[in-house]
Amino acid sequence: MFGSMPLCNDDGLGNECGHLFAILLPEGDYEIYEVIPAMDSYISSSYGSAWRSAQLDGYRFHVSAGRVTYLGNLLSRICTARAVVGSRVWSAVGDVADLSARDVPLLRKKYPQIAESNFEISVMSGAPWLWRYEPKNWFNVNEKPRFGWPPNCSLEPEKLNSYLRPTH
């Protein structure tokens, strides 16, 4: 978090430190309606957490019986900025992208039970999201980035694309 984020090669995603996953769901309509950044001890806890959720718009999908559907790659990145001492996470951005040309072969390799399946490509058309730190704790309720919000955490299309989809 302080300095540069390490890269990892989990699931063959060496440039984004991400994870591929497939889940079995009953037929029906679904929606991913919020996201909470997973950082530090707040990964799965809301105790005293400033990591409030960001509401998502348009992350809906349909599951058909007997089909394997690729919904997209949920890209997200945290944005650090200067604090009084050092740096800290102040915001995060995210979007959904069609990276099926890369992801589907990796999914076939990771999950042998769907290796021979025909994938239906049905990428969610969700809007990009922006999350900003909002403390719940009474002692830091007025805490804001002293030196401004991180400029790379923006919903401006050019900034969003260059930050979420850097060329390597």
Side-chain angles (χ1 to χ4, degrees), residues 82-110:
R82 287 178 49 206
V84 176
V85 177
S87 294
R88 66 172 295 173
V89 173
W90 286 107
S91 53
V93 290
D95 196 4
V96 64
D98 182 356
L99 299 179
S100 58
R102 179 203 66 190
D103 293 347
V104 168
L106 293 171
L107 285 163
R108 288 182 195 280
K109 182 179 178 182
K110 183 175 181 176

PDB file of all heavy atoms in Angstrom, residues 82-110:
ATOM      1  N   ARG A  82      -1.180  11.342  -0.237  1.00  0.00           N
ATOM      2  CA  ARG A  82      -0.442  11.779   0.946  1.00  0.00           C
ATOM      3  C   ARG A  82      -1.386  12.025   2.106  1.00  0.00           C
ATOM      4  O   ARG A  82      -2.482  12.518   1.943  1.00  0.00           O
ATOM      5  CB  ARG A  82       0.323  13.063   0.630  1.00  0.00           C
ATOM      6  CG  ARG A  82       1.518  12.837  -0.242  1.00  0.00           C
ATOM      7  CD  ARG A  82       2.252  14.111  -0.601  1.00  0.00           C
ATOM      8  NE  ARG A  82       2.509  14.943   0.558  1.00  0.00           N
ATOM      9  CZ  ARG A  82       2.667  16.263   0.482  1.00  0.00           C
ATOM     10  NH1 ARG A  82       2.597  16.888  -0.672  1.00  0.00           N
ATOM     11  NH2 ARG A  82       2.903  16.965   1.563  1.00  0.00           N
ATOM     12  N   ALA A  83      -0.931  11.662   3.261  1.00  0.00           N
ATOM     13  CA  ALA A  83      -1.637  11.953   4.502  1.00  0.00           C
ATOM     14  C   ALA A  83      -0.696  12.815   5.347  1.00  0.00           C
ATOM     15  O   ALA A  83       0.386  13.187   4.897  1.00  0.00           O
ATOM     16  CB  ALA A  83      -1.997  10.657   5.222  1.00  0.00           C
ATOM     17  N   VAL A  84      -1.104  13.127   6.546  1.00  0.00           N
ATOM     18  CA  VAL A  84      -0.248  13.930   7.414  1.00  0.00           C
ATOM     19  C   VAL A  84       1.104  13.257   7.575  1.00  0.00           C
ATOM     20  O   VAL A  84       2.140  13.889   7.467  1.00  0.00           O
ATOM     21  CB  VAL A  84      -0.927  14.165   8.787  1.00  0.00           C
ATOM     22  CG1 VAL A  84       0.000  14.901   9.720  1.00  0.00           C
ATOM     23  CG2 VAL A  84      -2.224  14.931   8.604  1.00  0.00           C
ATOM     24  N   VAL A  85       1.087  11.940   7.781  1.00  0.00           N
ATOM     25  CA  VAL A  85       2.321  11.163   7.854  1.00  0.00           C
ATOM     26  C   VAL A  85       2.198  10.029   6.845  1.00  0.00           C
ATOM     27  O   VAL A  85       1.297   9.196   6.950  1.00  0.00           O
ATOM     28  CB  VAL A  85       2.540  10.588   9.275  1.00  0.00           C
ATOM     29  CG1 VAL A  85       3.784   9.716   9.309  1.00  0.00           C
ATOM     30  CG2 VAL A  85       2.625  11.701  10.297  1.00  0.00           C
ATOM     31  N   GLY A  86       3.055   9.994   5.854  1.00  0.00           N
ATOM     32  CA  GLY A  86       3.043   8.915   4.870  1.00  0.00           C
ATOM     33  C   GLY A  86       1.886   9.018   3.895  1.00  0.00           C
ATOM     34  O   GLY A  86       1.415  10.092   3.578  1.00  0.00           O
ATOM     35  N   SER A  87       1.435   7.864   3.441  1.00  0.00           N
ATOM     36  CA  SER A  87       0.329   7.779   2.503  1.00  0.00           C
ATOM     37  C   SER A  87      -0.730   6.843   3.059  1.00  0.00           C
ATOM     38  O   SER A  87      -0.465   6.058   3.953  1.00  0.00           O
ATOM     39  CB  SER A  87       0.810   7.209   1.160  1.00  0.00           C
ATOM     40  OG  SER A  87       1.686   8.093   0.538  1.00  0.00           O
ATOM     41  N   ARG A  88      -1.935   6.937   2.527  1.00  0.00           N
ATOM     42  CA  ARG A  88      -2.998   6.038   2.935  1.00  0.00           C
ATOM     43  C   ARG A  88      -4.009   5.904   1.804  1.00  0.00           C
ATOM     44  O   ARG A  88      -4.015   6.675   0.869  1.00  0.00           O
ATOM     45  CB  ARG A  88      -3.674   6.511   4.205  1.00  0.00           C
ATOM     46  CG  ARG A  88      -4.418   7.824   4.019  1.00  0.00           C
ATOM     47  CD  ARG A  88      -5.235   8.196   5.200  1.00  0.00           C
ATOM     48  NE  ARG A  88      -6.277   7.204   5.351  1.00  0.00           N
ATOM     49  CZ  ARG A  88      -7.089   7.166   6.376  1.00  0.00           C
ATOM     50  NH1 ARG A  88      -6.972   8.028   7.343  1.00  0.00           N
ATOM     51  NH2 ARG A  88      -8.034   6.272   6.444  1.00  0.00           N
ATOM     52  N   VAL A  89      -4.878   4.927   1.917  1.00  0.00           N
ATOM     53  CA  VAL A  89      -5.933   4.722   0.934  1.00  0.00           C
ATOM     54  C   VAL A  89      -7.056   5.711   1.219  1.00  0.00           C
ATOM     55  O   VAL A  89      -7.586   5.754   2.326  1.00  0.00           O
ATOM     56  CB  VAL A  89      -6.471   3.277   0.999  1.00  0.00           C
ATOM     57  CG1 VAL A  89      -7.679   3.119   0.094  1.00  0.00           C
ATOM     58  CG2 VAL A  89      -5.378   2.295   0.622  1.00  0.00           C
ATOM     59  N   TRP A  90      -7.398   6.490   0.212  1.00  0.00           N
ATOM     60  CA  TRP A  90      -8.484   7.457   0.356  1.00  0.00           C
ATOM     61  C   TRP A  90      -9.675   7.124  -0.529  1.00  0.00           C
ATOM     62  O   TRP A  90     -10.783   7.546  -0.283  1.00  0.00           O
ATOM     63  CB  TRP A  90      -8.006   8.866   0.014  1.00  0.00           C
ATOM     64  CG  TRP A  90      -7.148   9.477   1.060  1.00  0.00           C
ATOM     65  CD1 TRP A  90      -5.811   9.677   1.004  1.00  0.00           C
ATOM     66  CD2 TRP A  90      -7.563   9.977   2.336  1.00  0.00           C
ATOM     67  NE1 TRP A  90      -5.360  10.261   2.160  1.00  0.00           N
ATOM     68  CE2 TRP A  90      -6.419  10.466   2.993  1.00  0.00           C
ATOM     69  CE3 TRP A  90      -8.788  10.055   2.983  1.00  0.00           C
ATOM     70  CZ2 TRP A  90      -6.472  11.029   4.253  1.00  0.00           C
ATOM     71  CZ3 TRP A  90      -8.838  10.617   4.250  1.00  0.00           C
ATOM     72  CH2 TRP A  90      -7.680  11.092   4.874  1.00  0.00           C
ATOM     73  N   SER A  91      -9.425   6.415  -1.621  1.00  0.00           N
ATOM     74  CA  SER A  91     -10.515   6.132  -2.542  1.00  0.00           C
ATOM     75  C   SER A  91     -10.181   4.906  -3.390  1.00  0.00           C
ATOM     76  O   SER A  91      -9.082   4.369  -3.336  1.00  0.00           O
ATOM     77  CB  SER A  91     -10.815   7.346  -3.423  1.00  0.00           C
ATOM     78  OG  SER A  91      -9.657   7.820  -4.063  1.00  0.00           O
ATOM     79  N   ALA A  92     -11.164   4.475  -4.171  1.00  0.00           N
ATOM     80  CA  ALA A  92     -10.994   3.337  -5.074  1.00  0.00           C
ATOM     81  C   ALA A  92     -11.949   3.532  -6.255  1.00  0.00           C
ATOM     82  O   ALA A  92     -12.974   4.197  -6.117  1.00  0.00           O
ATOM     83  CB  ALA A  92     -11.283   2.021  -4.366  1.00  0.00           C
ATOM     84  N   VAL A  93     -11.589   2.954  -7.378  1.00  0.00           N
ATOM     85  CA  VAL A  93     -12.442   3.002  -8.566  1.00  0.00           C
ATOM     86  C   VAL A  93     -12.615   1.594  -9.109  1.00  0.00           C
ATOM     87  O   VAL A  93     -11.788   0.712  -8.855  1.00  0.00           O
ATOM     88  CB  VAL A  93     -11.875   3.912  -9.680  1.00  0.00           C
ATOM     89  CG1 VAL A  93     -11.945   5.372  -9.294  1.00  0.00           C
ATOM     90  CG2 VAL A  93     -10.462   3.519 -10.054  1.00  0.00           C
ATOM     91  N   GLY A  94     -13.675   1.392  -9.869  1.00  0.00           N
ATOM     92  CA  GLY A  94     -13.904   0.094 -10.463  1.00  0.00           C
ATOM     93  C   GLY A  94     -14.784   0.178 -11.688  1.00  0.00           C
ATOM     94  O   GLY A  94     -15.464   1.169 -11.922  1.00  0.00           O
ATOM     95  N   ASP A  95     -14.752  -0.891 -12.452  1.00  0.00           N
ATOM     96  CA  ASP A  95     -15.502  -0.965 -13.698  1.00  0.00           C
ATOM     97  C   ASP A  95     -15.583  -2.432 -14.097  1.00  0.00           C
ATOM     98  O   ASP A  95     -14.900  -3.281 -13.526  1.00  0.00           O
ATOM     99  CB  ASP A  95     -14.757  -0.161 -14.773  1.00  0.00           C
ATOM    100  CG  ASP A  95     -15.607   0.157 -15.989  1.00  0.00           C
ATOM    101  OD1 ASP A  95     -16.808  -0.167 -15.995  1.00  0.00           O
ATOM    102  OD2 ASP A  95     -15.064   0.724 -16.943  1.00  0.00           O
ATOM    103  N   VAL A  96     -16.391  -2.750 -15.066  1.00  0.00           N
ATOM    104  CA  VAL A  96     -16.475  -4.103 -15.596  1.00  0.00           C
ATOM    105  C   VAL A  96     -16.017  -4.058 -17.051  1.00  0.00           C
ATOM    106  O   VAL A  96     -16.289  -3.091 -17.764  1.00  0.00           O
ATOM    107  CB  VAL A  96     -17.909  -4.680 -15.464  1.00  0.00           C
ATOM    108  CG1 VAL A  96     -18.912  -3.899 -16.286  1.00  0.00           C
ATOM    109  CG2 VAL A  96     -17.955  -6.144 -15.823  1.00  0.00           C
ATOM    110  N   ALA A  97     -15.262  -5.078 -17.450  1.00  0.00           N
ATOM    111  CA  ALA A  97     -14.707  -5.100 -18.803  1.00  0.00           C
ATOM    112  C   ALA A  97     -14.849  -6.485 -19.408  1.00  0.00           C
ATOM    113  O   ALA A  97     -14.862  -7.490 -18.699  1.00  0.00           O
ATOM    114  CB  ALA A  97     -13.230  -4.702 -18.764  1.00  0.00           C
ATOM    115  N   ASP A  98     -14.924  -6.531 -20.718  1.00  0.00           N
ATOM    116  CA  ASP A  98     -14.954  -7.796 -21.438  1.00  0.00           C
ATOM    117  C   ASP A  98     -13.520  -8.212 -21.739  1.00  0.00           C
ATOM    118  O   ASP A  98     -12.908  -7.723 -22.682  1.00  0.00           O
ATOM    119  CB  ASP A  98     -15.755  -7.670 -22.730  1.00  0.00           C
ATOM    120  CG  ASP A  98     -15.857  -8.982 -23.486  1.00  0.00           C
ATOM    121  OD1 ASP A  98     -15.246  -9.992 -23.051  1.00  0.00           O
ATOM    122  OD2 ASP A  98     -16.564  -9.013 -24.509  1.00  0.00           O
ATOM    123  N   LEU A  99     -12.993  -9.079 -20.906  1.00  0.00           N
ATOM    124  CA  LEU A  99     -11.654  -9.635 -21.120  1.00  0.00           C
ATOM    125  C   LEU A  99     -11.781 -11.134 -21.368  1.00  0.00           C
ATOM    126  O   LEU A  99     -10.907 -11.927 -21.012  1.00  0.00           O
ATOM    127  CB  LEU A  99     -10.759  -9.343 -19.916  1.00  0.00           C
ATOM    128  CG  LEU A  99     -10.536  -7.864 -19.598  1.00  0.00           C
ATOM    129  CD1 LEU A  99      -9.657  -7.688 -18.367  1.00  0.00           C
ATOM    130  CD2 LEU A  99      -9.941  -7.127 -20.784  1.00  0.00           C
ATOM    131  N   SER A 100     -12.889 -11.524 -22.004  1.00  0.00           N
ATOM    132  CA  SER A 100     -13.181 -12.938 -22.208  1.00  0.00           C
ATOM    133  C   SER A 100     -12.124 -13.647 -23.048  1.00  0.00           C
ATOM    134  O   SER A 100     -11.859 -14.830 -22.819  1.00  0.00           O
ATOM    135  CB  SER A 100     -14.567 -13.119 -22.827  1.00  0.00           C
ATOM    136  OG  SER A 100     -14.672 -12.442 -24.057  1.00  0.00           O
ATOM    137  N   ALA A 101     -11.513 -12.956 -23.991  1.00  0.00           N
ATOM    138  CA  ALA A 101     -10.486 -13.607 -24.817  1.00  0.00           C
ATOM    139  C   ALA A 101      -9.344 -14.121 -23.946  1.00  0.00           C
ATOM    140  O   ALA A 101      -8.762 -15.172 -24.218  1.00  0.00           O
ATOM    141  CB  ALA A 101      -9.963 -12.642 -25.877  1.00  0.00           C
ATOM    142  N   ARG A 102      -9.032 -13.406 -22.902  1.00  0.00           N
ATOM    143  CA  ARG A 102      -7.983 -13.827 -21.978  1.00  0.00           C
ATOM    144  C   ARG A 102      -8.541 -14.711 -20.868  1.00  0.00           C
ATOM    145  O   ARG A 102      -7.963 -15.734 -20.509  1.00  0.00           O
ATOM    146  CB  ARG A 102      -7.316 -12.602 -21.352  1.00  0.00           C
ATOM    147  CG  ARG A 102      -6.221 -12.984 -20.364  1.00  0.00           C
ATOM    148  CD  ARG A 102      -5.904 -11.950 -19.341  1.00  0.00           C
ATOM    149  NE  ARG A 102      -7.029 -11.743 -18.430  1.00  0.00           N
ATOM    150  CZ  ARG A 102      -7.076 -10.751 -17.563  1.00  0.00           C
ATOM    151  NH1 ARG A 102      -6.103  -9.886 -17.501  1.00  0.00           N
ATOM    152  NH2 ARG A 102      -8.109 -10.610 -16.768  1.00  0.00           N
ATOM    153  N   ASP A 103      -9.692 -14.341 -20.314  1.00  0.00           N
ATOM    154  CA  ASP A 103     -10.223 -14.999 -19.121  1.00  0.00           C
ATOM    155  C   ASP A 103     -10.802 -16.389 -19.377  1.00  0.00           C
ATOM    156  O   ASP A 103     -10.630 -17.285 -18.546  1.00  0.00           O
ATOM    157  CB  ASP A 103     -11.302 -14.127 -18.472  1.00  0.00           C
ATOM    158  CG  ASP A 103     -10.744 -12.835 -17.895  1.00  0.00           C
ATOM    159  OD1 ASP A 103      -9.510 -12.708 -17.778  1.00  0.00           O
ATOM    160  OD2 ASP A 103     -11.563 -11.950 -17.555  1.00  0.00           O
ATOM    161  N   VAL A 104     -11.501 -16.587 -20.467  1.00  0.00           N
ATOM    162  CA  VAL A 104     -12.159 -17.872 -20.703  1.00  0.00           C
ATOM    163  C   VAL A 104     -11.157 -19.028 -20.763  1.00  0.00           C
ATOM    164  O   VAL A 104     -11.355 -20.047 -20.097  1.00  0.00           O
ATOM    165  CB  VAL A 104     -13.093 -17.822 -21.931  1.00  0.00           C
ATOM    166  CG1 VAL A 104     -13.553 -19.215 -22.344  1.00  0.00           C
ATOM    167  CG2 VAL A 104     -14.303 -16.934 -21.622  1.00  0.00           C
ATOM    168  N   PRO A 105     -10.047 -18.914 -21.518  1.00  0.00           N
ATOM    169  CA  PRO A 105      -9.071 -20.009 -21.481  1.00  0.00           C
ATOM    170  C   PRO A 105      -8.507 -20.261 -20.078  1.00  0.00           C
ATOM    171  O   PRO A 105      -8.283 -21.412 -19.692  1.00  0.00           O
ATOM    172  CB  PRO A 105      -7.974 -19.554 -22.443  1.00  0.00           C
ATOM    173  CG  PRO A 105      -8.649 -18.601 -23.366  1.00  0.00           C
ATOM    174  CD  PRO A 105      -9.684 -17.905 -22.535  1.00  0.00           C
ATOM    175  N   LEU A 106      -8.305 -19.205 -19.309  1.00  0.00           N
ATOM    176  CA  LEU A 106      -7.808 -19.364 -17.941  1.00  0.00           C
ATOM    177  C   LEU A 106      -8.856 -20.036 -17.050  1.00  0.00           C
ATOM    178  O   LEU A 106      -8.520 -20.864 -16.195  1.00  0.00           O
ATOM    179  CB  LEU A 106      -7.402 -18.010 -17.356  1.00  0.00           C
ATOM    180  CG  LEU A 106      -6.190 -17.342 -18.013  1.00  0.00           C
ATOM    181  CD1 LEU A 106      -6.021 -15.911 -17.507  1.00  0.00           C
ATOM    182  CD2 LEU A 106      -4.928 -18.143 -17.785  1.00  0.00           C
ATOM    183  N   LEU A 107     -10.127 -19.696 -17.250  1.00  0.00           N
ATOM    184  CA  LEU A 107     -11.205 -20.339 -16.489  1.00  0.00           C
ATOM    185  C   LEU A 107     -11.324 -21.818 -16.846  1.00  0.00           C
ATOM    186  O   LEU A 107     -11.529 -22.660 -15.973  1.00  0.00           O
ATOM    187  CB  LEU A 107     -12.537 -19.630 -16.738  1.00  0.00           C
ATOM    188  CG  LEU A 107     -12.701 -18.283 -16.045  1.00  0.00           C
ATOM    189  CD1 LEU A 107     -13.844 -17.492 -16.665  1.00  0.00           C
ATOM    190  CD2 LEU A 107     -12.926 -18.476 -14.548  1.00  0.00           C
ATOM    191  N   ARG A 108     -11.177 -22.141 -18.124  1.00  0.00           N
ATOM    192  CA  ARG A 108     -11.230 -23.547 -18.554  1.00  0.00           C
ATOM    193  C   ARG A 108     -10.114 -24.353 -17.877  1.00  0.00           C
ATOM    194  O   ARG A 108     -10.327 -25.492 -17.471  1.00  0.00           O
ATOM    195  CB  ARG A 108     -11.085 -23.646 -20.072  1.00  0.00           C
ATOM    196  CG  ARG A 108     -12.272 -23.174 -20.847  1.00  0.00           C
ATOM    197  CD  ARG A 108     -12.028 -23.367 -22.353  1.00  0.00           C
ATOM    198  NE  ARG A 108     -12.942 -22.634 -23.162  1.00  0.00           N
ATOM    199  CZ  ARG A 108     -14.187 -23.009 -23.442  1.00  0.00           C
ATOM    200  NH1 ARG A 108     -14.653 -24.127 -22.941  1.00  0.00           N
ATOM    201  NH2 ARG A 108     -14.956 -22.278 -24.213  1.00  0.00           N
ATOM    202  N   LYS A 109      -8.955 -23.739 -17.754  1.00  0.00           N
ATOM    203  CA  LYS A 109      -7.812 -24.411 -17.130  1.00  0.00           C
ATOM    204  C   LYS A 109      -8.017 -24.578 -15.615  1.00  0.00           C
ATOM    205  O   LYS A 109      -7.717 -25.629 -15.050  1.00  0.00           O
ATOM    206  CB  LYS A 109      -6.537 -23.613 -17.407  1.00  0.00           C
ATOM    207  CG  LYS A 109      -5.286 -24.250 -16.855  1.00  0.00           C
ATOM    208  CD  LYS A 109      -4.075 -23.408 -17.208  1.00  0.00           C
ATOM    209  CE  LYS A 109      -2.811 -24.008 -16.617  1.00  0.00           C
ATOM    210  NZ  LYS A 109      -1.641 -23.181 -16.897  1.00  0.00           N
ATOM    211  N   LYS A 110      -8.536 -23.546 -14.981  1.00  0.00           N
ATOM    212  CA  LYS A 110      -8.710 -23.570 -13.533  1.00  0.00           C
ATOM    213  C   LYS A 110      -9.851 -24.495 -13.099  1.00  0.00           C
ATOM    214  O   LYS A 110      -9.774 -25.120 -12.043  1.00  0.00           O
ATOM    215  CB  LYS A 110      -8.972 -22.154 -13.010  1.00  0.00           C
ATOM    216  CG  LYS A 110      -9.100 -22.079 -11.499  1.00  0.00           C
ATOM    217  CD  LYS A 110      -9.230 -20.654 -11.017  1.00  0.00           C
ATOM    218  CE  LYS A 110      -9.335 -20.622  -9.493  1.00  0.00           C
ATOM    219  NZ  LYS A 110      -9.367 -19.274  -8.975  1.00  0.00           N
TER     220      LYS A 110
END
